Amino acid sequence: MATKRDYYEVLGLKRDASDDDIKRAFKRLAIKYHPDRNKDADAGEKFREINEAYQVLSDPQKRQAYDAGGFDAVEGQGGFSGGFDGFGDFGGSAFSDIFSSIFSGGDPFGGSARGGRRRAAGPQPTRGSDVRVVIRLTLEEAVRGITKEIRLKTLVTCPDCHGEGTTDPSSRKQCPQCHGQGVIIQQNGFFSVQRTCDRCNGEGQVITKPCSKCHGAGRIQESRTVKINIPAGLDTGQYVVVPRMGQAGLHGGPAGDLLATIEVLPHKLFRRDGDDLYCEVPISFATAALGGKVTVPTLDGKLAVTVEPGTQTGTTFRLAKKGIKAAHSNRPQGNLYCTVVVETPVNLTDYQKDLLHKLEQSLDGDEQGSSSSKSDASSHKPMMERFADSVSDFFKNLGK
């Protein structure tokens, strides 16, 4: 004789499982292993085992006895000791009701075997669907916030029947197909399959004299203008909700919402990363070598920034709080990061090229000249000062 498995193990539960845990586990396993659905050779035995475990653990007194004394403590108390016998009574009418409810789509652990059947009490208020749109903004618009007007087509309540689908309430009749149930239940042996009635769409009633304007739908399509207030600081992928500006509800139900998703267009100068902005700042060869003031663009206008002598391409400096203030957030305003790009002179004249060669030679310490030039007082200047003089002279003559 096969050894019985622990009831908690059968249902895949821990010993402190709640009543709801037991019910859910039983429903899941009973559907999986019922012989009408599972053709495995051992499905019937597993199904019997699952039901036996449920019959004990779902009863507080039996569960307490089982926890205290094991299988022997529940023998003769309605627990299972016999075998699986086709589609007989697997432990009383309670199980029959439960399992019938499982396959009829109702509440499997409350109500009767007809728990899946519902009687439609006429048309019920139904919330309208949400409408989604995409709003494209420039970076400046996204950073500062803006009010946009859009034109869209959506379903609105029919003005003639006020959403009821008919102007004559007496034209509502019981649906002849589902007889007012709102659902069609098809019995196939042990199973019940339930589906929404396609004649009345689950309302249980049909309209014999539909509204001439909406043809019984209760809604008509209409174009309308909607204002969308977009707060400052939103980024691509974030959205704004405009309540009750989606599709109209049915039978007095509320309208859905308008969901406006933001898409920020690429900017010619700035790249956004969260609350920070990034840009490239071109500077001349002379400014890079000698230092000086450069003008940097920001979203609030131009700003003068000092560049140190010897600045190289790729050098990045930070302008604090010149980035973006995030919407609906207490985070500090982001920063602006400027990366230097040194511009190389192009289209040089022969004279300018000659000056550039001389500059290169002076930087290498190999400038050709008479010995008198080396004895000149200027040769005793500090190296960096001579470098600055050479660069300065070069750029003074570069424009000639």
Side-chain angles (χ1 to χ4, degrees):
M1 182 177 179
T3 303
K4 281 189 176 184
R5 288 199 299 156
D6 176 70
Y7 288 148
Y8 291 99
E9 179 186 346
V10 169
L11 296 181
L13 298 170
K14 295 181 179 179
R15 301 191 77 83
D16 60 352
S18 66
D19 291 343
D20 287 340
D21 292 335
I22 293 170
K23 292 174 182 178
R24 282 193 292 267
F26 169 69
K27 175 182 176 181
R28 175 176 55 81
L29 294 171
I31 293 175
K32 180 177 180 180
Y33 289 109
H34 190 276
D36 275 359
R37 298 168 65 92
N38 191 321
K39 301 304 180 183
D40 292 345
D42 61 347
E45 177 60 28
K46 288 184 177 179
F47 184 76
R48 183 207 62 77
E49 186 182 44
I50 292 163
N51 182 56
E52 178 179 341
Y54 176 72
Q55 291 301 311
V56 172
L57 299 184
S58 63
D59 186 302
Q61 292 182 346
K62 293 177 186 178
R63 182 180 180 182
Q64 185 177 9
Y66 174 73
D67 288 345
F71 296 111
D72 293 339
V74 294
E75 288 291 338
Q77 297 187 33
F80 266 68
S81 58
F84 174 74
D85 183 20
F87 296 101
D89 183 2
F90 305 108
S93 61
F95 174 73
S96 299
D97 287 349
I98 290 169
F99 206 74
S100 177
S101 292
I102 289 173
F103 291 104
S104 64
D107 178 4
F109 305 108
S112 68
R114 297 178 179 269
R117 303 187 183 190
R118 65 178 179 85
R119 177 173 295 277
Q124 300 298 309
T126 304
R127 181 182 183 275
S129 299
D130 294 332
V131 174
R132 297 177 179 272
V133 297
V134 175
I135 303 295
R136 293 178 174 84
L137 304 176
T138 65
L139 179 61
E140 288 83 358
E141 290 174 335
V143 168
R144 298 187 178 98
I146 193 172
T147 297
K148 288 279 188 178
E149 285 190 357
I150 63 169
R151 188 80 175 165
L152 59 84
K153 285 186 177 181
T154 187
L155 293 175
V156 300
T157 301
C158 175
D160 288 5
C161 67
H162 307 290
E164 294 301 320
T166 179
T167 56
D168 181 7
S170 65
S171 70
R172 285 191 174 277
K173 307 294 182 183
Q174 185 184 86
C175 175
Q177 183 163 304
C178 67
H179 306 291
Q181 301 292 328
V183 294
I184 304 295
I185 300 175
Q186 295 176 322
Q187 195 74 27
N188 183 11
F190 190 77
F191 298 100
S192 295
V193 178
Q194 175 179 296
R195 61 180 175 84
T196 301
C197 177
D198 54 10
R199 177 75 178 275
C200 65
N201 294 320
E203 293 185 356
Q205 296 180 353
V206 293
I207 299 173
T208 57
K209 296 180 181 179
C211 170
S212 59
K213 189 174 186 67
C214 66
H215 306 290
R219 300 180 298 187
I220 60 173
Q221 194 171 68
E222 184 176 274
S223 294
R224 61 184 178 186
T225 300
V226 180
K227 285 187 177 181
I228 304 176
N229 295 318
I230 301 171
L234 291 187
D235 200 357
T236 295
Q238 295 180 299
Y239 61 91
V240 176
V241 179
V242 185
R244 302 290 184 263
M245 292 306 291
Q247 293 185 359
L250 290 171
H251 312 300
D257 298 330
L258 174 64
L259 307 179
T261 302
I262 302 302
E263 180 183 327
V264 181
L265 300 173
H267 195 276
K268 63 180 181 179
L269 294 178
F270 300 107
R271 176 178 62 85
R272 180 176 181 176
D273 184 3
D275 299 337
D276 296 325
L277 291 176
Y278 294 81
C279 72
E280 291 184 345
V281 178
I283 64 174
S284 68
F285 188 25
T287 303
L290 303 175
K293 295 282 188 179
V294 296
T295 301
V296 174
T298 73
L299 291 174
D300 299 321
K302 295 180 179 180
L303 187 67
V305 176
T306 300
V307 174
E308 297 297 325
T311 296
Q312 303 295 314
T313 291
T315 300
T316 299
F317 51 90
R318 178 176 69 96
L319 300 182
K321 296 185 178 181
K322 290 299 181 180
I324 297 168
K325 177 63 178 175
H328 312 300
S329 174
N330 292 324
R331 296 195 306 268
Q333 186 169 345
N335 303 314
L336 171 61
Y337 294 90
C338 302
T339 300
V340 170
V341 178
V342 179
E343 293 184 323
T344 303
V346 295
N347 301 322
L348 297 176
T349 64
D350 290 340
Y351 176 69
Q352 292 169 336
K353 290 177 182 179
D354 183 58
L355 288 175
L356 191 57
H357 284 304
K358 290 180 179 179
L359 174 63
E360 182 180 23
Q361 291 169 355
S362 70
L363 295 177
D364 291 340
D366 190 29
E367 181 179 3
Q368 294 180 359
S370 64
S371 59
S372 62
S373 65
K374 293 183 180 181
S375 63
D376 189 270
S378 63
S379 64
H380 299 289
K381 291 183 179 180
M383 181 181 66
M384 287 306 297
E385 187 175 342
R386 286 188 287 111
F387 163 72
D389 289 344
S390 298
V391 174
S392 180
D393 290 341
F394 167 72
F395 285 108
K396 286 178 181 178
N397 291 286
L398 192 60
K400 292 182 179 180

